[in-house]
Amino acid sequence: QLVESGGGSVETGGSLHLSCVASGYALSAYYGYWFRQAPGAEREAVAFITRGGRSHYADSVQGRFAVSRDNAKNTLYLQMDNLKPEDTAMYYCAADTQGYALSGTAPHYAHSGQGVQVTVSS
């Protein structure tokens, strides 16, 4: 099970810090993903972190978002800075033993959470 927290509403330029706690398995054995979905839009993977801690980002969030993990706490994080209205979406964390590229529609990962809403007002 994955449970996200930290969503909310901010103004343009604001920041949010999302957390995702895993239970029932060791997150350290998985790639950790964050993806989002806005109403009427496809699922968009925005970041992932490898088991070794290397992070990758979609062009749309590069330089503004930072993914990290704390294996001792079995937790993934997503720090989101300089938020824009187009970042408004439901944000989900996910875990999978497979590594997937960040292009195209995000796949259905082996494990994913219920999501948290992020709303950025202009």
Side-chain angles (χ1 to χ4, degrees), residues 1 11 13-14 29 32 36 42-43 48 51 58 62 65 79 85 94 96 104 121:
Q1 183 181 13
E11 294 184 346
R36 66 188 181 187
E42 298 289 332
R43 295 154 54 101
F48 77 89
R51 288 181 285 260
Q62 179 73 50
F65 289 13
Q79 176 66 37
D96 204 305
S121 59

Side-chain angles (χ1 to χ4, degrees), residues 6-113:
S9 297
V10 296
E11 294 184 346
T12 297
S15 298
L16 286 171
H17 184 73
L18 305 184
S19 299
C20 170
V21 180
S23 59
Y25 54 90
L27 199 56
S28 58
Y30 294 79
Y31 289 83
Y33 296 86
W34 287 95
F35 67 96
R36 66 188 181 187
Q37 188 166 24
E42 298 289 332
R43 295 154 54 101
E44 178 191 15
V46 296
F48 77 89
I49 187 166
T50 67
R51 288 181 285 260
R54 186 168 181 176
S55 55
H56 301 263
Y57 302 95
D59 289 344
S60 58
V61 306
Q62 179 73 50
R64 301 187 297 120
F65 289 13
V67 58
S68 60
R69 66 194 307 162
D70 185 334
N71 291 333
K73 295 182 178 179
N74 224 23
T75 301
L76 288 174
Y77 302 100
L78 186 69
Q79 176 66 37
M80 304 186 295
D81 297 320
N82 192 21
L83 283 160
K84 305 175 180 180
E86 52 263 43
D87 294 319
T88 295
M90 284 289 289
Y91 281 72
Y92 304 84
C93 66
D96 204 305
T97 55
Q98 299 291 321
Y100 295 96
L102 294 175
S103 59
T105 302
H108 289 278
Y109 304 102
H111 305 280
S112 59

